[in-house]
Amino acid sequence: MRLSIVSVVFGAFLISSPAMSQSPSVPNTAPWEQPFLPPAPAWDGASRALLRDASDPWVTAFEADPEHDESPNYADTRAWFDRLDAASDLIRIEQFGVSPEGRPIYAVIASKDGAAFDPAKPVLLAQAGIHPGEIDGKDAGMMLLRDIAFYGKADLLDRVNLILIPILSVDGHERASAYSRPNQRGPRIQGWRNTATNQNLNRDYLKLDQVEMRAVRGLVLKYRPDLYLDIHVTDGMDYQYDITYGFNGENGVWSRSPAIALWLDDSFKPAINAALEAEDHIPGELVFGTDDSNPRAGLTDGGLGERFSNGWGSAAHVPTVLIENHSLKPYEQRVLGTYVLLEAAMRRLAADGTALRTAIAADSALRPAGIPANFTADPTPAYTRTFKGIRYEMYDSPASGRQEIRWLGEADPEPWSLPFYGSRPTLTLQRPTAYWVPGHRADIIERLRLHGIRMETLPSPRTVTVNMLRLNEPRLAARANEGRVGVTVTGVTPERHDWTFPVGSVRVPTDQPLGDIVVLLLEPQSSESFFAWGMFPEVLSRVEYIEGYAIAPLAEAMMAADPALKAEFEAKLAAEPAFASDGDARLQWFYERTPFYDERFRLYPVAREE
């Protein structure tokens, strides 16, 4: 019933909405488009010359569709790539994982090197469909690979190898309908944002819960890409840009990989922008507004967390660019812009890949003593950004009962000057020499291995002097996030112990290229840590207890025997009325100071070797 009602509303909207009236600046509205979206400015870019005619034997489904608003399903996409693989020695398909619903996850590799890559050639990894409704990269990649194979662009492979993941979240891709992304213009049938297990893969770069992300990590470790492009479609406000992209450390701000960020700023970005502008696209930096109801309030960096591709890439020293095409631009415009960007990225790697590898090596050698963590929005703007805006107006909505924004689909001739707010760390983690993970946490050890982190596995028990961390005031999150209930602590108290680690335990040194990631994963105060994601709930459970009839006389004896303890207790009573009036809390205070108390309660089992 709901869909039929919506369909009726759509039909009425198409007839009556002023936003959909025909004018030179508004394209024809197809019946499958969301008629409530703002009008799109007219576009007739030079990149349309990339389209092949529908009669071409290698035309893609996107190109064959008269409206260029079609994206093929999983089976048809794979069949097309299989045909391309069979017809061209430059193309091969490699399966690198299997989804929760049993679908192969595959990459399409373009190379003149055969099965083994020439190590002198830079490698570009382009990933599409981590959010399957945002599938521009798949259709752009199909066109580019076809043109490399058959239409004069094989020279792109002379000095660069290309790996395309056309669909990462293959199960989400097949949960497809016309009602997946209401804020996005095309394709007409779109995949679902989350996986079959209802997980958002673009929150899983560090914790590696999902089989899809574990598979990607294996592919990255196998081929060691020099540049990683993560292709999305953004939500949010309207603006003139059709292709936006960015990376951690852009415009000289702080980065865990400063040399890589400098290369991306000085070499990559000018080349990509020039290529897009030459084909009549409007490239821009990533757009994250601070206030949806006030577009001129300012912009932010969107957060720097390592759970995202760009944050992980910065920490892992893998040059990673987050691409966010503009959801309100027509699908044709976005796909063609993505094609131009992919080709330009290959040419930039061919021209300046040696310098990028030098930057990667420099960043991989960094061993900062302090690791900034737990970033939050900085209330002070970092700088002012010139912004190409779209005109809008505010109106009184009878539905919301407040003022809402109405985008008018017209480029504002006057550039906006917007404050840009970056992020700042709220915690600095100190790098130890190594961490020790007990063998019974094989799950944690396996996640570290999946990251490619080096470690020593104990063949026999070993006793070492380490710092164990006592967790201060742990608190469970009020609700689940990505299938997990997170935990926070107000701090940690180090305790020196001679601890015996059993067979199978691992020593994880931080003197390695992924050392920053080791710290971020294993420090319980890190918001990106395994602990913060709720993977150590057992340390929050106290096992033994003591009855009041036993602890009360014991506490009285303790005060009689230790005047300093008595004074400390009385001071706490005077300072904390709530504690003084809580008999259970008072007895608990004494219990914690007896040898009967569970010494491993809230003792984090991962140790620090200083």
Side-chain angles (χ1 to χ4, degrees), residues 543-571:
V543 177
E544 280 294 352
Y545 63 96
I546 189 170
E547 300 286 2
Y549 65 77
I551 187 61
L554 177 57
E556 293 154 12
M558 291 166 65
M559 284 191 288
D562 188 345
L565 179 70
K566 183 175 184 292
E568 183 184 357
F569 177 64
E570 290 173 345

Side-chain angles (χ1 to χ4, degrees), residues 253-593:
V253 303
W254 181 85
S255 170
R256 301 193 196 279
S257 292
I260 290 171
L262 184 63
W263 185 91
L264 290 170
D265 258 334
D266 292 351
S267 182
F268 179 81
K269 190 158 65 170
I272 298 302
N273 287 350
L276 285 165
E277 289 167 355
E279 298 293 328
D280 300 317
H281 294 277
I282 307 177
E285 296 171 11
L286 293 173
V287 179
F288 300 104
T290 60
D291 183 351
D292 289 344
S293 64
N294 180 11
R296 293 179 181 266
L299 304 168
T300 78
D301 59 15
L304 300 176
E306 286 76 22
R307 66 190 62 188
F308 307 110
S309 63
N310 50 323
W312 165 80
S314 179
H317 314 306
V318 176
T320 302
V321 178
L322 172 62
I323 298 167
E324 291 276 8
N325 297 337
H326 187 212
S327 59
L328 295 177
K329 298 300 185 292
Y331 191 57
E332 175 192 45
Q333 184 176 352
R334 302 197 320 258
V335 170
L336 294 177
T338 305
Y339 180 115
V340 173
L341 190 152
L342 289 172
E343 180 180 353
M346 293 183 71
R347 296 194 183 281
R348 180 57 2 201
L349 272 183
D352 204 26
T354 300
L356 179 56
R357 287 188 168 181
T358 299
I360 294 170
D363 289 335
S364 298
L366 296 175
R367 302 291 187 268
I371 312 294
N374 298 13
F375 284 80
T376 189
D378 193 330
T380 302
Y383 52 84
T384 299
R385 185 163 136 190
T386 300
F387 188 78
K388 296 180 179 180
I390 290 285
R391 293 183 60 244
Y392 66 94
E393 63 186 10
M394 304 302 295
Y395 74 101
D396 293 323
S397 167
S400 69
R402 66 186 182 196
Q403 285 221 317
E404 300 291 347
I405 193 167
R406 178 186 287 125
W407 297 101
L408 303 177
E410 302 168 7
D412 194 326
E414 294 295 326
W416 301 0
S417 292
L418 301 183
F420 180 84
Y421 298 87
S423 296
R424 63 180 181 181
T426 58
L427 179 69
T428 298
L429 302 167
Q430 297 305 309
R431 178 192 296 267
T433 300
Y435 291 92
W436 289 81
V437 183
H440 71 271
R441 290 311 306 263
D443 57 326
I444 298 298
I445 295 169
E446 176 61 16
R447 290 169 196 263
L448 295 172
R449 286 202 175 99
L450 288 167
H451 272 287
I453 291 167
R454 291 190 294 104
M455 63 190 81
E456 172 196 356
T457 303
L458 299 190
S460 59
R462 188 184 303 178
T463 301
V464 292
T465 301
V466 292
N467 272 339
M468 306 293 288
L469 302 179
R470 187 76 62 178
L471 305 171
N472 301 334
E473 301 181 35
R475 293 286 183 271
L476 295 174
R479 63 178 183 175
N481 179 26
E482 299 302 321
R484 290 193 170 274
V485 178
V487 187
T488 58
V489 293
T490 59
V492 295
T493 302
E495 299 178 4
R496 202 73 169 160
H497 288 274
D498 291 331
W499 204 269
T500 300
F501 289 91
V503 173
S505 300
V506 296
R507 178 183 181 270
V508 188
T510 62
D511 184 10
Q512 57 178 302
L514 296 179
D516 287 10
I517 282 184
V518 172
V519 175
L520 292 166
L521 285 173
L522 295 181
E523 282 294 329
Q525 290 179 276
S526 163
S527 61
E528 299 287 359
S529 68
F530 293 136
F531 174 83
W533 278 106
M535 296 187 198
F536 289 90
E538 69 274 13
V539 303
L540 307 182
S541 299
R542 195 183 73 208
V543 177
E544 280 294 352
Y545 63 96
I546 189 170
E547 300 286 2
Y549 65 77
I551 187 61
L554 177 57
E556 293 154 12
M558 291 166 65
M559 284 191 288
D562 188 345
L565 179 70
K566 183 175 184 292
E568 183 184 357
F569 177 64
E570 290 173 345
K572 186 172 179 68
L573 293 177
E576 301 178 27
F579 173 78
S581 63
D582 187 339
D584 288 338
R586 291 166 63 139
L587 293 178
Q588 175 70 16
W589 188 87
F590 285 102
Y591 178 38
E592 292 174 3
R593 286 153 178 80

Side-chain angles (χ1 to χ4, degrees), residues 36-371:
F36 44 79
L37 291 180
W43 182 80
D44 187 19
S47 60
R48 277 184 166 153
L50 297 168
L51 295 166
R52 308 298 300 183
D53 187 77
S55 62
D56 190 291
W58 289 104
V59 70
T60 66
F62 159 76
E63 295 169 296
D65 178 63
E67 302 291 338
H68 301 137
D69 204 29
E70 176 73 26
S71 188
N73 63 25
Y74 174 89
D76 290 345
T77 302
R78 180 58 190 264
W80 191 92
F81 276 124
D82 283 341
R83 190 164 64 94
L84 188 67
D85 181 6
S88 173
D89 292 337
L90 301 178
I91 306 297
R92 63 183 172 89
I93 295 174
E94 180 174 322
Q95 180 179 329
F96 64 94
V98 178
S99 75
E101 292 185 339
R103 295 182 177 90
I105 308 171
Y106 63 93
V108 185
I109 298 175
S111 174
K112 292 183 175 180
D113 301 341
F117 280 179
D118 178 352
K121 286 184 181 179
V123 176
L124 172 64
L125 173 58
Q127 175 183 283
I130 191 171
H131 293 152
E134 308 165 26
I135 204 63
D136 306 14
K138 177 188 74 176
D139 291 297
M142 293 172 78
M143 292 175 60
L144 178 60
L145 287 166
R146 180 266 321 280
D147 291 349
I148 288 173
F150 299 121
Y151 293 111
K153 292 191 176 179
D155 67 297
L156 288 171
L157 302 180
D158 289 345
R159 297 175 61 190
V160 176
N161 288 317
L162 172 64
I163 303 172
L164 171 73
I165 302 174
I167 314 166
L168 177 55
S169 180
V170 291
D171 295 341
H173 187 276
E174 293 309 279
R175 185 183 171 183
S177 78
Y179 301 100
S180 292
R181 288 181 59 79
N183 304 313
Q184 181 176 305
R185 181 170 274 118
R188 66 171 67 100
I189 302 298
Q190 303 160 349
W192 193 251
R193 181 178 183 84
N194 279 16
T195 67
T197 58
N198 200 32
Q199 300 298 306
N200 185 339
L201 296 182
N202 196 36
R203 305 294 185 271
D204 200 36
Y205 273 87
L206 223 57
K207 59 185 174 66
L208 294 183
D209 267 343
Q210 306 305 312
V211 295
E212 296 94 336
M213 295 310 296
R214 294 181 175 208
V216 167
R217 188 53 36 81
L219 192 72
V220 168
L221 290 174
K222 179 178 180 178
Y223 288 105
R224 304 285 180 178
D226 299 272
L227 183 61
Y228 182 12
L229 304 182
D230 181 23
I231 306 169
H232 294 247
V233 179
T234 190
D235 295 317
M237 62 193 207
D238 203 356
Y239 41 80
Q240 296 178 42
Y241 312 105
D242 55 355
I243 308 294
T244 71
Y245 63 93
F247 44 89
N248 283 26
E250 191 169 8
N251 297 325
V253 303
W254 181 85
S255 170
R256 301 193 196 279
S257 292
I260 290 171
L262 184 63
W263 185 91
L264 290 170
D265 258 334
D266 292 351
S267 182
F268 179 81
K269 190 158 65 170
I272 298 302
N273 287 350
L276 285 165
E277 289 167 355
E279 298 293 328
D280 300 317
H281 294 277
I282 307 177
E285 296 171 11
L286 293 173
V287 179
F288 300 104
T290 60
D291 183 351
D292 289 344
S293 64
N294 180 11
R296 293 179 181 266
L299 304 168
T300 78
D301 59 15
L304 300 176
E306 286 76 22
R307 66 190 62 188
F308 307 110
S309 63
N310 50 323
W312 165 80
S314 179
H317 314 306
V318 176
T320 302
V321 178
L322 172 62
I323 298 167
E324 291 276 8
N325 297 337
H326 187 212
S327 59
L328 295 177
K329 298 300 185 292
Y331 191 57
E332 175 192 45
Q333 184 176 352
R334 302 197 320 258
V335 170
L336 294 177
T338 305
Y339 180 115
V340 173
L341 190 152
L342 289 172
E343 180 180 353
M346 293 183 71
R347 296 194 183 281
R348 180 57 2 201
L349 272 183
D352 204 26
T354 300
L356 179 56
R357 287 188 168 181
T358 299
I360 294 170
D363 289 335
S364 298
L366 296 175
R367 302 291 187 268
I371 312 294

